[in-house]
Amino acid sequence: MAVSRRQLLLGSAGALGATTFSLWSATAASEPIKIGFLAAMTGPSSAPTIGFNRGVIFAVDAINAAGGVKGRMLEVVTRDTQGDPTKAVNATQELISQAKVHAIWGPFNSGEALATTPIMARAKMPNIHPCVVETLIDPTKFPNAFRLAPSNSQWDDAVRNYCLNILKVKKVAVIGDTTGYGVTAVGASVAAFKKDGAEVVYQANIDATQPDMTPDMLRARNAGAEVFVIWSVSTGMEARMFNTRAAMNWDIAFVGHPSMASGELAGLVEKPENWKKVYAIGYKSCSYDASGKLPAKSQDLVDRLLKANVSIKDTLLWWIADGVDAIDLIAKGVEQSGSTDGEGIIKYWNSLSKYPGYFGNFVFSPTQHNGYLTEEIVMSEASTARNGTFALAPGYT
């Protein structure tokens, strides 16, 4: 049969198209999996990022050393938000439109997340974050956003239970910084204490850079405060409060945010004893028992981190563990869905009835994006850090 010139050209075009598609598929399959990392690497809110960043690097190195995800390497695209919501918004838009990341881990400050979460939702960008403000998780408004830590109400419950039922106090001072997180957390905490019958004798939001904490602490003492509840990630602000308490010779406990147990505080308090009677939010996975033993899975992670020369003495193990879990969840989302398509990653996360992370067991569904279990939360004795883990605060049996 004679073949016309037109048929020949069509056949050639078809073959070329098939070849081009094959080359495109091969190229796509070998391209890196890009993970956006929104982190306050510098600034007053940077303490948690130290740990999160080490967990990210450790997890990415481990996965890439094992061959990546179906042959594709992980690539982390980091943007320093400096704890500034405006910078976080700009970084988010750049990661989505220019860097073209496949998923985003962070930000770590709720004030930033309040500004960036709607942007990621509009872009249908898979997003995991550890920010605690309640409104950041809403499967209807933000079907792409998943919380990889407790919510602030879960933290609130643990702190309030410790103050009222273990310390047996009734008069409370509630202090936060002036970030979006600090303002929101103080408001929620005050409302919850009052609902449970406690008297909030003093509340304030203080600029994290304020050099002298004496005026606020004097007002709290004069009002009869029996405990200080702190909601801030600023270790500098917290250290100044601890030092002021010592200078005032005031025997009162601090209870609250996990950052009060950060290793940075050892170098910020004027005397080691200034860090006593400080009880920070902690977790069963990162608490050692009376004999000094951690849960087996947590000990395995610590051993692996130390073998890889990852420093954990000056940060919190849960921050590192959460960073590891975030990268693992993104990698598994790509592996299980078979692509870097955001819809597939989100669908995988929604199927996790019990995901065994290092930080804890996570439970997600299409209608539940708060994954952490409340029963995993405890209070830690802040100054008892050992490789980022802690002894339980006094009063637990």
Side-chain angles (χ1 to χ4, degrees):
M1 179 184 295
V3 179
S4 69
R5 184 172 186 274
R6 183 172 183 273
Q7 288 174 314
L8 180 63
L9 289 171
L10 286 172
S12 299
L16 180 61
T19 302
T20 302
F21 179 77
S22 297
L23 289 172
W24 179 86
S25 299
T27 301
S30 64
E31 287 180 347
I33 299 165
K34 292 186 177 181
I35 300 173
F37 184 37
L38 288 171
M41 305 293 287
T42 57
S45 300
S46 62
T49 304
I50 294 171
F52 288 132
N53 187 47
R54 290 174 189 170
V56 165
I57 293 171
F58 174 78
V60 168
D61 286 349
I63 292 171
N64 285 345
V69 179
K70 295 186 176 179
R72 298 178 67 177
M73 297 294 105
L74 301 184
E75 178 184 324
V76 178
V77 185
T78 304
R79 294 293 179 267
D80 182 6
T81 64
Q82 299 178 355
D84 183 331
T86 300
K87 289 183 171 63
V89 165
N90 294 335
T92 299
Q93 292 171 331
E94 189 265 330
L95 286 174
I96 293 170
S97 62
Q98 297 181 42
K100 299 190 181 302
V101 298
H102 301 113
I104 292 178
W105 164 227
F108 306 140
N109 179 285
S110 292
E112 298 172 63
L114 288 166
T116 60
T117 296
I119 297 170
M120 288 188 250
R122 288 193 293 270
K124 298 180 179 179
M125 173 61 61
N127 174 226
I128 305 180
H129 67 72
C131 300
V132 299
V133 169
E134 301 295 326
T135 57
L136 290 171
I137 294 299
D138 185 330
T140 301
K141 291 173 62 178
F142 312 128
N144 61 305
F146 295 73
R147 196 190 322 263
L148 208 59
S151 67
N152 204 73
S153 65
Q154 290 174 293
W155 275 2
D156 248 356
D157 289 346
V159 167
R160 197 169 61 259
N161 176 68
Y162 189 75
C163 289
L164 302 183
N165 298 323
I166 297 180
L167 294 183
K168 306 289 186 182
V169 299
K170 290 296 182 182
K171 295 183 178 182
V172 184
V174 183
I175 307 293
D177 56 36
T178 55
T179 64
Y181 165 69
V183 172
T184 303
V186 166
S189 184
V190 167
F193 268 112
K194 288 181 176 179
K195 184 178 179 181
D196 279 1
E199 183 181 357
V200 179
V201 297
Y202 187 71
Q203 70 179 87
N205 288 92
I206 303 171
D207 189 320
T209 62
Q210 180 175 309
D212 187 4
M213 299 295 164
T214 306
D216 285 281
M217 294 186 66
L218 280 173
R219 285 191 284 268
R221 186 173 69 177
N222 293 339
E226 297 171 331
V227 67
F228 261 109
V229 172
I230 307 297
W231 298 110
S232 175
V233 301
S234 174
T235 52
M237 169 180 157
E238 290 158 355
R240 289 192 292 277
M241 295 188 76
F242 303 162
N243 291 334
T244 301
R245 176 186 62 174
M248 293 170 62
N249 196 29
W250 189 12
D251 184 28
I252 190 171
F254 287 92
V255 182
H257 197 277
S259 61
M260 293 197 298
S262 172
E264 288 185 357
L265 280 157
L268 295 174
V269 291
E270 293 172 355
K271 298 177 181 178
E273 54 265 32
N274 292 4
W275 202 7
K276 301 298 182 182
K277 292 194 72 171
V278 177
Y279 309 123
I281 293 164
Y283 307 96
K284 290 180 181 178
S285 63
C286 301
S287 299
Y288 51 84
D289 61 21
S291 64
K293 290 184 178 180
L294 288 171
K297 187 166 186 175
S298 300
Q299 187 60 57
D300 174 67
L301 177 60
V302 168
D303 293 342
R304 291 173 58 210
L305 289 166
L306 294 176
K307 185 176 180 180
N309 295 318
V310 177
S311 177
I312 53 181
K313 291 183 178 180
D314 62 344
T315 187
L316 304 182
L317 182 63
W318 88 262
W319 287 339
I320 296 177
D322 216 29
V324 173
D325 288 341
I327 297 301
D328 284 348
L329 277 167
I330 293 170
K332 288 183 183 296
V334 173
E335 180 183 45
Q336 295 298 315
S337 66
S339 77
T340 49
D341 179 70
E343 184 178 350
I345 295 172
I346 292 169
K347 183 178 179 180
Y348 167 72
W349 292 345
N350 276 327
S351 73
L352 299 175
S353 59
K354 192 172 184 181
Y355 179 82
Y358 283 102
F359 178 35
N361 295 313
F362 300 98
V363 177
F364 294 118
S365 74
T367 58
Q368 175 57 271
H369 289 183
N370 284 305
Y372 203 79
L373 303 177
T374 303
E375 58 263 31
E376 298 280 340
I377 308 170
V378 294
M379 302 303 298
S380 300
E381 193 168 355
S383 62
T384 62
R386 190 187 68 189
N387 288 330
T389 66
F390 300 87
L392 291 171
Y396 288 102
T397 57

Short mmCIF file of all heavy atoms in Angstrom, two decimals, residues 228-270:
data_model
loop_
_atom_site.label_atom_id
_atom_site.label_comp_id
_atom_site.label_asym_id
_atom_site.label_seq_id
_atom_site.Cartn_x
_atom_site.Cartn_y
_atom_site.Cartn_z
N PHE A 228 2.49 31.71 87.95
CA PHE A 228 2.60 32.42 86.68
C PHE A 228 2.39 31.43 85.55
O PHE A 228 3.09 30.42 85.45
CB PHE A 228 4.01 33.03 86.52
CG PHE A 228 4.09 34.48 86.87
CD1 PHE A 228 4.74 34.89 88.02
CD2 PHE A 228 3.53 35.44 86.04
CE1 PHE A 228 4.83 36.23 88.35
CE2 PHE A 228 3.61 36.79 86.36
CZ PHE A 228 4.27 37.18 87.51
N VAL A 229 1.42 31.69 84.69
CA VAL A 229 1.22 30.89 83.48
C VAL A 229 1.75 31.69 82.31
O VAL A 229 1.34 32.84 82.08
CB VAL A 229 -0.28 30.55 83.30
CG1 VAL A 229 -0.51 29.88 81.94
CG2 VAL A 229 -0.75 29.65 84.43
N ILE A 230 2.69 31.10 81.57
CA ILE A 230 3.41 31.81 80.51
C ILE A 230 3.08 31.24 79.14
O ILE A 230 3.18 30.02 78.92
CB ILE A 230 4.94 31.74 80.73
CG1 ILE A 230 5.29 32.23 82.14
CG2 ILE A 230 5.67 32.54 79.67
CD1 ILE A 230 4.95 33.67 82.40
N TRP A 231 2.72 32.14 78.19
CA TRP A 231 2.47 31.73 76.80
C TRP A 231 3.36 32.57 75.87
O TRP A 231 2.98 33.65 75.44
CB TRP A 231 1.00 31.90 76.44
CG TRP A 231 0.08 31.05 77.26
CD1 TRP A 231 -0.80 31.47 78.21
CD2 TRP A 231 -0.04 29.63 77.22
NE1 TRP A 231 -1.46 30.39 78.77
CE2 TRP A 231 -1.02 29.25 78.17
CE3 TRP A 231 0.59 28.63 76.46
CZ2 TRP A 231 -1.38 27.92 78.39
CZ3 TRP A 231 0.23 27.32 76.67
CH2 TRP A 231 -0.75 26.97 77.63
N SER A 232 4.54 32.07 75.60
CA SER A 232 5.49 32.75 74.71
C SER A 232 6.55 31.76 74.25
O SER A 232 6.90 30.83 75.00
CB SER A 232 6.18 33.92 75.43
OG SER A 232 7.18 34.50 74.60
N VAL A 233 7.07 31.95 73.03
CA VAL A 233 8.18 31.13 72.56
C VAL A 233 9.51 31.84 72.79
O VAL A 233 10.57 31.30 72.47
CB VAL A 233 8.05 30.79 71.05
CG1 VAL A 233 6.77 30.04 70.79
CG2 VAL A 233 8.13 32.06 70.18
N SER A 234 9.47 33.06 73.35
CA SER A 234 10.69 33.85 73.53
C SER A 234 11.44 33.44 74.80
O SER A 234 11.03 33.77 75.92
CB SER A 234 10.36 35.34 73.60
OG SER A 234 11.51 36.09 73.91
N THR A 235 12.54 32.73 74.63
CA THR A 235 13.33 32.29 75.78
C THR A 235 14.00 33.48 76.48
O THR A 235 14.22 33.44 77.69
CB THR A 235 14.40 31.28 75.35
OG1 THR A 235 15.15 31.82 74.26
CG2 THR A 235 13.76 29.98 74.91
N GLY A 236 14.32 34.53 75.73
CA GLY A 236 14.92 35.71 76.35
C GLY A 236 13.96 36.37 77.32
O GLY A 236 14.34 36.73 78.45
N MET A 237 12.73 36.51 76.91
CA MET A 237 11.70 37.09 77.78
C MET A 237 11.50 36.22 79.02
O MET A 237 11.40 36.72 80.16
CB MET A 237 10.39 37.22 77.00
CG MET A 237 9.18 37.57 77.84
SD MET A 237 7.69 37.69 76.81
CE MET A 237 6.40 37.40 78.03
N GLU A 238 11.45 34.92 78.82
CA GLU A 238 11.24 34.01 79.94
C GLU A 238 12.40 34.05 80.93
O GLU A 238 12.18 34.09 82.14
CB GLU A 238 11.03 32.58 79.40
CG GLU A 238 9.70 32.42 78.69
CD GLU A 238 9.66 31.27 77.71
OE1 GLU A 238 10.72 30.62 77.50
OE2 GLU A 238 8.59 31.01 77.14
N ALA A 239 13.62 34.08 80.42
CA ALA A 239 14.79 34.13 81.30
C ALA A 239 14.77 35.41 82.14
O ALA A 239 15.10 35.37 83.34
CB ALA A 239 16.07 34.06 80.47
N ARG A 240 14.39 36.52 81.54
CA ARG A 240 14.33 37.77 82.30
C ARG A 240 13.28 37.68 83.41
O ARG A 240 13.47 38.24 84.50
CB ARG A 240 14.05 38.95 81.36
CG ARG A 240 15.24 39.29 80.46
CD ARG A 240 15.05 40.62 79.74
NE ARG A 240 13.98 40.58 78.76
CZ ARG A 240 14.10 40.13 77.51
NH1 ARG A 240 15.28 39.62 77.11
NH2 ARG A 240 13.09 40.15 76.67
N MET A 241 12.20 36.97 83.16
CA MET A 241 11.18 36.79 84.20
C MET A 241 11.71 35.90 85.32
O MET A 241 11.48 36.18 86.51
CB MET A 241 9.91 36.19 83.59
CG MET A 241 9.23 37.11 82.59
SD MET A 241 7.62 36.49 82.05
CE MET A 241 6.62 36.86 83.48
N PHE A 242 12.42 34.84 84.96
CA PHE A 242 12.99 33.95 85.98
C PHE A 242 13.99 34.71 86.84
O PHE A 242 14.02 34.56 88.07
CB PHE A 242 13.67 32.74 85.34
CG PHE A 242 12.78 31.91 84.45
CD1 PHE A 242 13.35 31.04 83.53
CD2 PHE A 242 11.39 32.00 84.52
CE1 PHE A 242 12.54 30.27 82.70
CE2 PHE A 242 10.59 31.23 83.70
CZ PHE A 242 11.16 30.37 82.78
N ASN A 243 14.83 35.51 86.20
CA ASN A 243 15.84 36.28 86.93
C ASN A 243 15.19 37.33 87.84
O ASN A 243 15.66 37.57 88.96
CB ASN A 243 16.80 36.97 85.96
CG ASN A 243 17.70 35.98 85.23
OD1 ASN A 243 17.99 34.88 85.72
ND2 ASN A 243 18.15 36.35 84.03
N THR A 244 14.12 37.94 87.35
CA THR A 244 13.41 38.93 88.16
C THR A 244 12.76 38.29 89.37
O THR A 244 12.77 38.85 90.48
CB THR A 244 12.35 39.66 87.30
OG1 THR A 244 13.00 40.30 86.20
CG2 THR A 244 11.60 40.69 88.12
N ARG A 245 12.19 37.10 89.18
CA ARG A 245 11.60 36.38 90.31
C ARG A 245 12.64 36.17 91.41
O ARG A 245 12.35 36.36 92.61
CB ARG A 245 11.05 35.03 89.84
CG ARG A 245 10.51 34.17 90.97
CD ARG A 245 10.11 32.77 90.49
NE ARG A 245 11.24 32.01 89.95
CZ ARG A 245 11.15 30.73 89.58
NH1 ARG A 245 10.00 30.08 89.68
NH2 ARG A 245 12.21 30.11 89.09
N ALA A 246 13.85 35.77 91.01
CA ALA A 246 14.92 35.55 92.00
C ALA A 246 15.29 36.85 92.70
O ALA A 246 15.49 36.87 93.92
CB ALA A 246 16.13 34.93 91.31
N ALA A 247 15.40 37.93 91.92
CA ALA A 247 15.76 39.22 92.51
C ALA A 247 14.69 39.71 93.49
O ALA A 247 15.00 40.39 94.49
CB ALA A 247 15.96 40.26 91.40
N MET A 248 13.44 39.35 93.23
CA MET A 248 12.34 39.72 94.12
C MET A 248 12.21 38.78 95.31
O MET A 248 11.41 39.03 96.22
CB MET A 248 11.02 39.72 93.33
CG MET A 248 10.93 40.79 92.26
SD MET A 248 9.49 40.55 91.16
CE MET A 248 8.13 40.71 92.32
N ASN A 249 13.02 37.69 95.29
CA ASN A 249 12.94 36.67 96.35
C ASN A 249 11.51 36.16 96.50
O ASN A 249 10.97 36.03 97.61
CB ASN A 249 13.45 37.24 97.67
CG ASN A 249 13.75 36.13 98.68
OD1 ASN A 249 14.09 35.00 98.31
ND2 ASN A 249 13.62 36.45 99.96
N TRP A 250 10.91 35.85 95.36
CA TRP A 250 9.50 35.45 95.31
C TRP A 250 9.42 33.96 95.00
O TRP A 250 9.84 33.51 93.94
CB TRP A 250 8.78 36.27 94.25
CG TRP A 250 7.28 36.12 94.24
CD1 TRP A 250 6.51 35.54 95.17
CD2 TRP A 250 6.41 36.60 93.21
NE1 TRP A 250 5.19 35.61 94.82
CE2 TRP A 250 5.09 36.27 93.62
CE3 TRP A 250 6.59 37.29 92.02
CZ2 TRP A 250 3.97 36.58 92.85
CZ3 TRP A 250 5.49 37.61 91.26
CH2 TRP A 250 4.19 37.26 91.67
N ASP A 251 8.86 33.19 95.88
CA ASP A 251 8.76 31.74 95.71
C ASP A 251 7.45 31.40 95.00
O ASP A 251 6.47 31.02 95.62
CB ASP A 251 8.83 31.04 97.07
CG ASP A 251 8.83 29.52 96.94
OD1 ASP A 251 9.29 29.02 95.90
OD2 ASP A 251 8.34 28.85 97.87
N ILE A 252 7.45 31.54 93.68
CA ILE A 252 6.26 31.26 92.87
C ILE A 252 6.67 30.40 91.68
O ILE A 252 7.80 30.53 91.18
CB ILE A 252 5.58 32.57 92.40
CG1 ILE A 252 4.20 32.28 91.77
CG2 ILE A 252 6.47 33.33 91.45
CD1 ILE A 252 3.40 33.53 91.49
N ALA A 253 5.80 29.52 91.25
CA ALA A 253 6.12 28.63 90.13
C ALA A 253 5.69 29.24 88.80
O ALA A 253 4.72 30.02 88.73
CB ALA A 253 5.43 27.29 90.32
N PHE A 254 6.44 28.90 87.76
CA PHE A 254 6.07 29.22 86.38
C PHE A 254 5.57 27.93 85.73
O PHE A 254 6.21 26.88 85.84
CB PHE A 254 7.26 29.75 85.59
CG PHE A 254 7.68 31.14 85.95
CD1 PHE A 254 8.65 31.36 86.91
CD2 PHE A 254 7.11 32.24 85.32
CE1 PHE A 254 9.06 32.64 87.25
CE2 PHE A 254 7.51 33.53 85.65
CZ PHE A 254 8.48 33.74 86.61
N VAL A 255 4.45 28.01 85.04
CA VAL A 255 3.88 26.86 84.33
C VAL A 255 3.45 27.32 82.95
O VAL A 255 2.87 28.40 82.80
CB VAL A 255 2.65 26.29 85.09
CG1 VAL A 255 2.11 25.06 84.37
CG2 VAL A 255 3.01 25.94 86.53
N GLY A 256 3.76 26.50 81.91
CA GLY A 256 3.27 26.91 80.60
C GLY A 256 4.06 26.41 79.41
O GLY A 256 4.40 25.23 79.34
N HIS A 257 4.35 27.30 78.51
CA HIS A 257 4.83 26.99 77.16
C HIS A 257 6.08 26.10 77.17
O HIS A 257 6.96 26.26 78.01
CB HIS A 257 5.14 28.28 76.40
CG HIS A 257 5.25 28.10 74.93
ND1 HIS A 257 6.39 27.67 74.33
CD2 HIS A 257 4.33 28.25 73.94
CE1 HIS A 257 6.19 27.59 73.02
NE2 HIS A 257 4.95 27.93 72.76
N PRO A 258 6.18 25.17 76.20
CA PRO A 258 7.34 24.27 76.12
C PRO A 258 8.68 24.98 76.01
O PRO A 258 9.71 24.44 76.42
CB PRO A 258 7.07 23.45 74.85
CG PRO A 258 5.61 23.49 74.66
CD PRO A 258 5.17 24.83 75.16
N SER A 259 8.70 26.19 75.46
CA SER A 259 9.97 26.89 75.29
C SER A 259 10.64 27.19 76.62
O SER A 259 11.86 27.44 76.67
CB SER A 259 9.78 28.19 74.50
OG SER A 259 8.91 29.07 75.19
N MET A 260 9.91 27.15 77.73
CA MET A 260 10.52 27.39 79.05
C MET A 260 11.47 26.27 79.44
O MET A 260 12.21 26.39 80.41
CB MET A 260 9.45 27.55 80.13
CG MET A 260 8.59 28.78 79.97
SD MET A 260 7.69 29.21 81.49
CE MET A 260 6.66 27.77 81.69
N ALA A 261 11.46 25.18 78.67
CA ALA A 261 12.40 24.08 78.92
C ALA A 261 13.50 24.03 77.88
O ALA A 261 14.29 23.08 77.86
CB ALA A 261 11.63 22.75 78.94
N SER A 262 13.58 25.03 77.02
CA SER A 262 14.61 25.04 75.98
C SER A 262 16.00 25.15 76.58
O SER A 262 16.23 25.88 77.55
CB SER A 262 14.38 26.22 75.03
OG SER A 262 15.45 26.35 74.12
N GLY A 263 16.94 24.43 75.99
CA GLY A 263 18.32 24.44 76.47
C GLY A 263 18.96 25.81 76.45
O GLY A 263 19.94 26.06 77.17
N GLU A 264 18.45 26.71 75.62
CA GLU A 264 19.00 28.07 75.56
C GLU A 264 18.95 28.76 76.91
O GLU A 264 19.78 29.62 77.22
CB GLU A 264 18.21 28.92 74.55
CG GLU A 264 18.43 28.56 73.10
CD GLU A 264 17.71 29.53 72.18
OE1 GLU A 264 17.00 30.42 72.69
OE2 GLU A 264 17.84 29.38 70.97
N LEU A 265 17.97 28.42 77.71
CA LEU A 265 17.77 29.11 78.99
C LEU A 265 18.93 28.90 79.95
O LEU A 265 19.19 29.74 80.81
CB LEU A 265 16.46 28.66 79.62
CG LEU A 265 15.23 29.35 79.02
CD1 LEU A 265 13.97 28.54 79.23
CD2 LEU A 265 15.08 30.74 79.63
N ALA A 266 19.63 27.79 79.81
CA ALA A 266 20.77 27.53 80.70
C ALA A 266 21.81 28.65 80.59
O ALA A 266 22.48 28.99 81.57
CB ALA A 266 21.40 26.18 80.37
N GLY A 267 21.95 29.22 79.41
CA GLY A 267 22.90 30.30 79.20
C GLY A 267 22.31 31.68 79.39
O GLY A 267 23.04 32.68 79.32
N LEU A 268 21.00 31.76 79.64
CA LEU A 268 20.34 33.05 79.78
C LEU A 268 19.99 33.40 81.22
O LEU A 268 19.92 34.58 81.58
CB LEU A 268 19.05 33.07 78.94
CG LEU A 268 19.24 32.97 77.42
CD1 LEU A 268 17.88 32.86 76.71
CD2 LEU A 268 20.00 34.18 76.88
N VAL A 269 19.79 32.38 82.06
CA VAL A 269 19.49 32.67 83.47
C VAL A 269 20.79 33.05 84.18
O VAL A 269 21.86 32.55 83.86
CB VAL A 269 18.83 31.46 84.17
CG1 VAL A 269 17.43 31.24 83.62
CG2 VAL A 269 19.67 30.20 84.02
N GLU A 270 20.66 33.94 85.16
CA GLU A 270 21.84 34.43 85.86
C GLU A 270 22.44 33.37 86.76
O GLU A 270 23.66 33.32 86.97
CB GLU A 270 21.47 35.68 86.67
CG GLU A 270 21.11 36.87 85.77
CD GLU A 270 20.56 38.05 86.55
OE1 GLU A 270 20.36 37.91 87.79
OE2 GLU A 270 20.30 39.11 85.95
#
